[in-house]
């Protein structure tokens, strides 16, 4: 696909195709456990199923959430855009409290013109990366748009079905997901009450890196490429940004553990 200036999107534009890996079993693959330290990105299969792609490690096989027990505890990354670098210091941003966020593909869909918005980057160009723990069952819980720090009527973590519609009226072949992370009384959310808990925040990072790669590829990056771009953020944080909590990014990587 080609991106022109201004960007013109063909019908059915989607990330560059990836082969669908088969799930691995036995000694080569294990389901998530309570002590599992793996972190996953949320992606959509071609059939619209919620799948989990490991952020790192030898196996890149995807997990299908539908094949996991409801009480499986998953550690996932979600992505949130903000307008000002300093916004990341706000308590609700640091803890992802009563806000919306998106899955891996949201990084590109948000930044590109004529996809989520006409001009692109509707919610800002700074991106924070959050690691959270959730119960697998809450991928089927309802999604609600937050407004002014209020996530009512959401009671637990929730997710959309794959979002494919673009502002142009065209549709993606593979969608992305939006999430809601409610938090009662502005305190830290918990697995027992809200079905999720915050683990880590990283950033803010410059989202123009994502836009530049989309233009270079003349299309949407696939999931693997998006993961690689997120890794380049980690490589650059020591020279181009500081941790939101004042932690020295040269020693901590610009990241902060919350409630751990």
């Amino acid at each position: 696909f080609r991106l022109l200036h201004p960007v013109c999107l063909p019908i059915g534009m989607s990330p560059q195709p990836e082969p669908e890996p088969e799930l691995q079993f036995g000694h080569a693959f294990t389901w998530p456990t309570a002590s599992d330290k793996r972190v996953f990105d949320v992606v959509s299969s071609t059939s619209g199923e919620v799948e989990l792609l490991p952020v790192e490690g030898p196996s890149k096989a995807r997990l299908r959430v539908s094949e996991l027990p409801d009480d499986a505890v998953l550690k996932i990354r979600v992505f949130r855009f903000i307008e000002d670098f300093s916004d990341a210091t706000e308590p609700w941003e640091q803890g992802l409290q009563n806000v919306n966020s998106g899955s891996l593909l949201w990084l590109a869909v948000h930044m590109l013109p004529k996809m989520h918005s006409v001009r692109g980057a509707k919610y800002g160009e700074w991106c924070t990366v959050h690691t959270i723990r959730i119960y697998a069952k809450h991928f089927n819980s309802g999604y609600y748009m937050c407004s002014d720090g209020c996530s009512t009527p959401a009671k637990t973590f929730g997710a959309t079905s794959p979002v494919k519609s673009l502002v142009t009226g065209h549709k993606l072949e593979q969608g992305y997901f939006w999430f809601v992370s409610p938090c009662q009384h502005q305190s830290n959310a918990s697995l027992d009450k809200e079905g999720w808990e915050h683990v880590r925040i990283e950033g803010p990072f410059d989202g123009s890196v994502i836009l530049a790669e989309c233009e270079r590829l003349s299309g949407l990056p696939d999931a693997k490429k998006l993961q690689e771009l997120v890794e380049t953020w980690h490589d650059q944080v020591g020279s181009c940004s500081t941790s939101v909590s004042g932690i020295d990014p040269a020693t901590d990587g610009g990241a902060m553990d919350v409630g751990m």
Side-chain angles (χ1 to χ4, degrees):
F1 300 109
R2 293 288 176 183
L3 291 180
L4 306 177
H5 299 280
V7 176
C8 298
L9 297 173
I11 295 176
M13 183 177 182
S14 66
Q16 297 175 356
E18 296 177 277
E20 292 282 349
E22 296 182 1
L23 291 178
Q24 303 174 25
F25 298 94
H27 296 292
F29 187 84
T30 56
W31 299 119
T33 63
S35 61
D36 200 331
K37 295 183 178 180
R38 286 179 297 173
V39 179
F40 299 91
D41 283 319
V42 182
V43 295
S44 174
S45 70
T46 53
S47 61
E49 287 194 72
V50 183
E51 295 185 336
L52 303 174
L53 184 65
V55 171
E56 56 185 27
S59 174
K60 283 292 184 180
R62 299 184 180 194
L63 290 174
R64 294 188 181 97
V65 171
S66 62
E67 298 182 2
L68 298 176
D70 285 348
D71 60 353
V73 177
L74 308 170
K75 191 181 291 185
I76 64 171
R77 290 196 304 194
V78 301
F79 304 89
R80 178 167 167 79
F81 285 93
I82 54 179
E83 291 185 346
D84 298 315
F85 187 93
S86 60
D87 289 345
T89 62
E90 299 293 348
W92 55 87
E93 296 292 352
Q94 296 228 339
L96 204 69
Q97 298 173 355
N98 298 312
V99 296
N100 300 119
S101 55
S103 63
L104 184 65
L105 184 57
W106 171 239
L107 290 171
V109 173
H110 173 263
M111 289 301 301
L112 272 169
K114 297 187 179 181
M115 299 204 77
H116 170 257
S117 61
V118 174
R119 295 185 177 181
K122 178 178 180 179
Y123 300 121
E125 297 187 1
W126 292 105
C127 182
T128 51
V129 183
H130 296 262
T131 302
I132 63 175
R133 273 192 287 265
I134 68 166
Y135 284 122
K137 64 183 178 182
H138 288 308
F139 278 108
N140 294 318
S141 297
Y143 168 84
Y144 297 94
M145 179 68 76
C146 296
S147 177
D148 297 326
C150 178
S151 60
T152 304
K155 300 298 183 183
T156 68
F157 178 92
T160 61
S161 56
V163 179
K164 297 183 178 182
S165 297
L166 303 177
V167 69
T168 57
H170 298 158
K171 290 184 178 294
L172 298 168
E173 292 182 6
Q174 290 177 252
Y176 59 94
F177 300 92
W178 279 324
F179 309 117
V180 60
S181 49
C183 187
Q184 300 178 18
H185 310 300
Q186 300 298 321
S187 61
N188 292 330
S190 69
L191 279 170
D192 292 336
K193 291 182 178 180
E194 292 94 354
W196 75 281
E197 63 183 5
H198 194 259
V199 176
R200 187 177 178 89
I201 177 175
E202 299 170 276
F205 301 110
D206 186 357
S208 64
V209 173
I210 303 294
L211 180 60
E213 183 64 12
C214 291
E215 293 177 340
R216 187 188 72 82
L217 293 174
S218 298
L220 289 173
D222 61 24
K224 180 179 179 181
K225 173 55 69 174
L226 284 170
Q227 286 185 326
E228 291 174 355
L229 290 173
V230 173
E231 287 305 308
T232 66
W233 276 341
H234 296 118
D235 294 339
Q236 297 171 3
V237 69
S239 59
C240 68
S241 75
T242 59
S243 146
V244 296
S245 63
I247 298 174
D248 182 1
T251 58
D252 190 70
M256 176 178 59
D257 286 329
V258 179
M260 290 284 292

